[in-house]
Amino acid sequence: MSKVVQIHPAKDFKARSKAVLDNPGQRKNFRGAMDFLQAKRRAQFVDQDELQGLRELGASIRRYSLANLPRLLEQLESKLTANGVQVHWAENAADANAIALKIAERVNARRIIKGKSMVSEEVGFNHAMEAAGIEAFESDMGEYIVQLAGEAPSHIIMPAIHKTKQEIAQLFADEVPGVTYTEDVDALIQIGRRVLRRKFAEADIGLSGVNFMVAETGTLCLIENEGNGRMCTTVPKVHIAITGIEKVVEKLDHVPPLLSLLTRSATGQPVTTYVNMISGPRKADEKDGPQEVHLILLDNGRTQAYADDELRATLQCIRCGACMNHCPVYARIGGHAYGTTYPGPIGAIISPHMLGLDATYPLAFASTLCGACNEVCPVKIPITDILVRLRNEAQAKPETEEATLRGSGAARTVAASTVWSMWSQVYSKSGLYKLASWFMSRGRSLSPSEQGAWTRSRTPLVPAPKRLRDLMKDRES
Amino acid sequence: MSARDEILNRLRKPNVAAQPVLPDVAGWFESHARSEDIAQRTARLRTALEAVHAELHDVTHDNWASVLLEIAASKGMRQMLIGTNTPHGAELLACQTDGLQLLPYDKPVDSWQDLLFDGVDSALTLARGAVAETGSLILWPSPAEPRLMSLVPSTHFVLLDVDTIHTDFFAAMTAESWSEGMPTNALLICGPSKTADIQQTLAYGAHGPKELVVLLRHASGSPK
């Protein structure tokens, strides 16, 4: 059984955020990248009516798919199986890696070439393979760069968004044999192309993610610009696709609207260079393509979100990254500060189901609730409502009805819950309110000058010298 | 119980009360799709493809092969991978191709993969159709024209008959009843491979072709 690296962002989220805020160079990278991506998206949606109509359609497709999820997964499985694709189900990260390892062992694989897959990051795939002595090599240029640097992606669509070309030039000069320092982006890409071409040709297994799965035809849809995804799913003898159980739609014609929303929201492209639709392994008369295709369907906490009427909407996500591109918090602290595979607003609402709320609740508080994410979400996930819900869950009393998630109540402290229960008493009983406000206004000089986070950049709060009811009395007399 | 059954049981538990109705995708496209003739669709496809650095040439049924060979010669191409038993492949094979070696993709890739990766600089495939809206070429790789032809060689030539250009992706898949049977692999291709992974700077020729050359084939005698 493979070992999965456990992340606990709760522990040092603030420290990591502060480190980025103190780094002007990195802040400039993120600001520039976010401005770029926002402008690209804006240029794609000039017609507001079309955008809103398409979002409504996209949201209805995703809601419909989730409402019928168990049926669609069974239909998908039977269609894929009939097409010759082997379907596997994984409860968690360890299961998913174990399934992949079993396949790798059976085909005697030493090298795995990877297309971009956030789910493979989620399960710690590369570590698990390396621990078993199998090389897992990233082939998406951005992923290749972060792997070369020994880092993790800082954005779900643009993994190396935190790096400047100077940093990448230095990295290539240091790490790729025979390469001299160059800042020419075309030259850098050609270096990557040259290295990775050999890797595609030599790999025993190609691993990929999936963007959409179509139940009625048993089809896996993958989108990309570089061609590495097509290489990974076509050249090696075995193709393993790994994805979350929520990515299924029923009809093939559900794909065009979602595809349009995805590429335009993500990178501001009308479409990606490649839309790759795979419905089976190589047939007897075909001359290329993998001889085996496997699909690993991963739960890893998704059924917890599914069980709740409000949190189920989290699974509508099509992973475009627009919420992070428009988030004032993400733009300032970047992806690594979150400490989770999925950063930004979507990371804050999906990660608690994967890692537990105890490990992730600070992310739900790292939001101004400005609602920019709700506005740009192509499938209309009410992200801020879910953030507020998670904040409440974090303060919930464990083992009561209000605590419904793994790790609920983790942020609860005796002091805070006592204050809130007093507050609730005072505000629901008029006699008590009268008495309390009398004491507050008379005792205002006793207000503490240190009021936690509030007074770090603001003057202390002091109750008014006269209550509203006193002011009204003065006016009447 | 297996992971499969455990997961499905958990998904069946919540009472997802209001079952939403099947989304009306066709209705959306009916009210939003453009109504255009072939010339307008061709023009939109051209604009979209040129925006992503594809090269387009207008040809006819009579001259496409000679135009292709001229372009290949001007680019200094030495080998061109072609399909097996295709009408366009046969037409090309019948031409004088000085200096250009035509290689039919006539056996499984496993026995000659190294040559494909290192010793073939171009390939010609026929597009099944195209999508004007996004500038995407539709390819259904087949035993005659396998998948890697449009991926591995540095220059990809595509022959596209303009009367197969659809308004949008939805129109293409419904007109051709894709949902009744998908091939092993279906592709939309829009331009040569590219990446913007280094500081959002666009660079062409990432892992797939560095050049995409589209021959827009019009009915004979009516180029454009």
Side-chain angles (χ1 to χ4, degrees):
Chain A
M1 196 66 84
S2 59
K3 191 174 174 293
V4 175
V5 185
Q6 283 296 335
I7 319 163
H8 284 283
K11 278 189 186 149
D12 41 11
F13 172 64
K14 281 189 180 165
R16 279 194 304 268
S17 304
K18 182 146 189 348
V20 185
L21 293 173
D22 289 343
N23 181 341
Q26 210 160 74
R27 289 185 65 173
K28 200 173 153 211
N29 289 357
F30 279 116
R31 184 73 264 168
M34 296 306 105
D35 289 344
F36 171 81
L37 288 167
Q38 286 180 18
K40 291 267 285 175
R41 175 186 173 276
R42 215 163 28 241
Q44 279 299 319
F45 294 116
V46 279
D47 180 347
Q48 277 303 306
D49 291 343
E50 191 248 7
L51 168 62
Q52 297 314 332
L54 195 57
R55 285 178 76 219
E56 193 47 62
L57 180 64
S60 71
I61 294 171
R62 291 301 297 134
R63 283 189 210 114
Y64 174 84
S65 310
L66 291 175
N68 294 284
L69 189 56
R71 175 173 69 79
L72 297 188
L73 285 170
E74 283 181 298
Q75 188 186 0
L76 175 78
E77 183 188 39
S78 86
K79 266 286 166 192
L80 281 171
T81 308
N83 293 351
V85 176
Q86 300 174 53
V87 181
H88 311 263
W89 301 70
E91 285 275 11
N92 50 37
D95 278 4
N97 290 327
I99 292 166
L101 272 177
K102 210 169 157 191
I103 299 168
E105 271 162 32
R106 183 173 48 76
V107 300
N108 225 347
R110 304 304 335 145
R111 301 187 193 87
I112 298 178
I113 188 80
K114 290 181 66 201
K116 194 164 163 27
S117 155
M118 289 309 294
V119 174
S120 78
E121 299 279 349
E122 178 188 329
V123 301
F125 184 85
N126 295 6
H127 290 291
M129 294 306 120
E130 273 153 34
I134 297 169
E135 177 190 81
F137 212 86
E138 297 286 352
S139 67
D140 172 87
M141 289 292 181
E143 294 277 354
Y144 169 63
I145 291 163
V146 297
Q147 188 179 38
L148 213 52
E151 297 173 359
S154 60
H155 188 280
I156 63 169
I157 303 291
M158 309 196 88
I161 206 162
H162 57 289
K163 284 191 139 25
T164 59
K165 67 178 170 191
Q166 289 79 11
E167 289 167 336
I168 295 165
Q170 195 56 56
L171 179 70
F172 276 28
D174 293 344
E175 301 292 332
V176 185
V179 167
T180 51
Y181 185 93
T182 172
E183 290 180 13
D184 178 358
V185 170
D186 282 311
L188 290 169
I189 293 300
Q190 289 313 305
I191 293 166
R193 178 184 171 102
R194 209 179 55 235
V195 171
L196 289 159
R197 280 224 142 192
R198 291 312 331 147
K199 296 284 182 186
F200 293 124
E202 290 164 0
D204 306 301
I205 293 178
L207 185 106
S208 78
V210 180
N211 294 100
F212 308 110
M213 306 184 281
V214 184
E216 71 170 342
T217 55
T219 301
L220 309 177
C221 304
L222 283 77
I223 63 166
E224 53 145 348
N225 288 312
E226 296 185 1
N228 66 308
R230 287 190 60 202
M231 288 280 188
C232 293
T233 58
T234 315
V235 179
K237 288 195 166 52
V238 178
H239 167 210
I240 302 176
I242 180 168
T243 196
I245 49 173
E246 79 280 19
K247 292 271 182 80
V248 66
V249 295
E250 179 166 12
K251 307 274 184 198
L252 193 64
D253 70 14
H254 290 171
V255 172
L258 292 176
L259 178 66
S260 178
L261 282 165
L262 174 55
T263 62
R264 292 158 85 192
S265 302
T267 49
Q269 294 175 272
V271 71
T272 43
T273 306
Y274 300 111
V275 177
N276 182 6
M277 308 179 91
I278 298 164
S279 304
R282 184 196 302 200
K283 291 191 178 122
D285 60 346
E286 290 176 334
K287 301 188 186 95
D288 58 22
Q291 269 136 10
E292 284 181 29
V293 178
H294 298 264
L295 173 68
I296 301 176
L297 290 168
L298 176 70
D299 179 354
N300 203 27
R302 286 164 175 81
T303 45
Q304 176 179 272
Y306 190 82
D308 186 284
D309 284 338
E310 186 177 24
L311 303 177
R312 190 175 307 127
T314 311
L315 304 176
Q316 281 167 223
C317 180
I318 55 173
R319 302 284 189 271
C320 70
C323 60
M324 57 196 78
N325 296 345
H326 292 76
C327 177
V329 176
Y330 178 90
R332 282 162 181 80
I333 63 173
H336 287 154
Y338 289 80
T340 45
T341 300
Y342 306 94
I346 184 61
I349 65 171
I350 190 79
S351 306
H353 302 292
M354 296 163 177
L355 302 165
L357 192 59
D358 43 347
T360 51
Y361 69 82
L363 308 185
F365 292 86
S367 167
T368 63
L369 303 180
C370 74
C373 48
N374 301 341
E375 245 172 71
V376 297
C377 177
V379 289
K380 300 181 83 167
I381 303 172
I383 298 175
T384 50
D385 290 350
I386 296 176
L387 286 171
V388 172
R389 165 71 188 280
L390 293 170
R391 291 178 182 188
N392 288 333
E393 286 279 349
Q395 305 287 353
K397 196 171 182 181
E399 283 156 38
T400 61
E401 264 184 23
E402 59 190 54
T404 66
L405 306 176
R406 180 158 70 93
S408 281
R412 190 181 173 87
T413 59
V414 176
S417 53
T418 310
V419 168
W420 284 117
S421 78
M422 278 165 62
W423 184 89
S424 147
Q425 290 292 318
V426 167
Y427 276 74
S428 54
K429 295 189 175 72
S430 70
L432 207 54
Y433 183 83
K434 219 161 144 182
L435 192 67
S437 56
W438 188 89
F439 275 108
M440 293 287 277
S441 57
R442 267 57 175 190
R444 60 194 295 267
S445 59
L446 301 173
S447 306
S449 58
E450 293 286 330
Q451 296 174 356
W454 179 264
T455 43
R456 219 172 290 152
S457 53
R458 298 176 193 86
T459 52
L461 292 168
V462 181
K466 284 192 172 180
R467 300 174 298 173
L468 181 62
R469 71 173 74 230
D470 297 331
L471 292 171
M472 288 305 287
K473 210 183 261 171
D474 290 352
R475 231 173 104 169
E476 280 158 17
S477 62
Chain B
M1 210 187 297
S2 68
R4 173 191 186 277
D5 295 343
E6 295 268 11
I7 292 169
L8 286 173
N9 280 348
R10 283 201 295 276
L11 292 176
R12 285 195 196 100
K13 226 184 224 163
N15 189 12
V16 188
Q19 289 278 326
V21 288
L22 195 65
D24 185 14
V25 178
W28 165 265
F29 282 98
E30 219 164 86
S31 58
H32 284 81
R34 299 167 206 249
S35 140
E36 293 174 329
D37 62 18
I38 290 177
Q40 289 167 313
R41 289 201 291 269
T42 309
R44 231 145 47 85
L45 179 87
R46 184 191 305 273
T47 309
L49 272 168
E50 281 175 348
V52 290
H53 283 215
E55 195 181 310
L56 286 91
H57 299 271
D58 291 289
V59 297
T60 64
H61 281 271
D62 302 326
N63 74 357
W64 73 268
S66 59
V67 173
L68 169 68
L69 292 170
E70 271 169 41
I71 303 166
S74 73
K75 291 181 183 295
M77 297 292 145
R78 302 230 293 269
Q79 308 87 18
M80 186 181 289
L81 197 56
I82 58 169
T84 47
N85 303 321
T86 61
H88 47 285
E91 239 180 287
L92 206 55
L93 281 168
C95 297
Q96 188 80 19
T97 59
D98 315 306
L100 182 75
Q101 191 190 0
L102 295 178
L103 300 166
Y105 198 143
D106 55 6
K107 51 185 179 292
V109 68
D110 317 72
S111 59
W112 63 288
Q113 185 170 289
D114 287 345
L115 176 68
L116 174 63
F117 270 76
D118 302 320
V120 180
D121 51 23
S122 70
L124 167 73
T125 67
L126 180 74
R128 178 188 175 89
V131 175
E133 181 80 44
T134 54
S136 303
L137 304 168
I138 302 169
L139 267 72
W140 278 23
S142 62
E145 287 186 346
R147 302 184 193 195
L148 292 174
M149 291 181 78
S150 59
L151 183 62
V152 177
S154 294
T155 302
H156 179 203
F157 293 96
V158 181
L159 188 58
L160 171 69
D161 287 310
V162 294
D163 57 5
T164 62
I165 303 173
H166 298 272
T167 308
D168 50 48
F169 187 24
F170 175 80
M173 65 166 59
T174 44
E176 299 183 359
S177 311
W178 286 25
S179 61
E180 285 166 25
M182 287 288 277
T184 312
N185 189 209
L187 297 164
L188 300 187
I189 298 180
C190 179
S193 70
K194 61 177 182 280
T195 182
D197 272 353
I198 298 181
Q199 215 174 300
Q200 299 94 53
T201 309
L202 192 56
Y204 285 91
H207 296 293
K210 298 177 179 179
E211 284 184 299
L212 179 72
V213 182
V214 182
L215 303 176
L216 287 169
R217 188 159 67 174
H218 302 256
S220 288
S222 66
K224 283 225 163 176

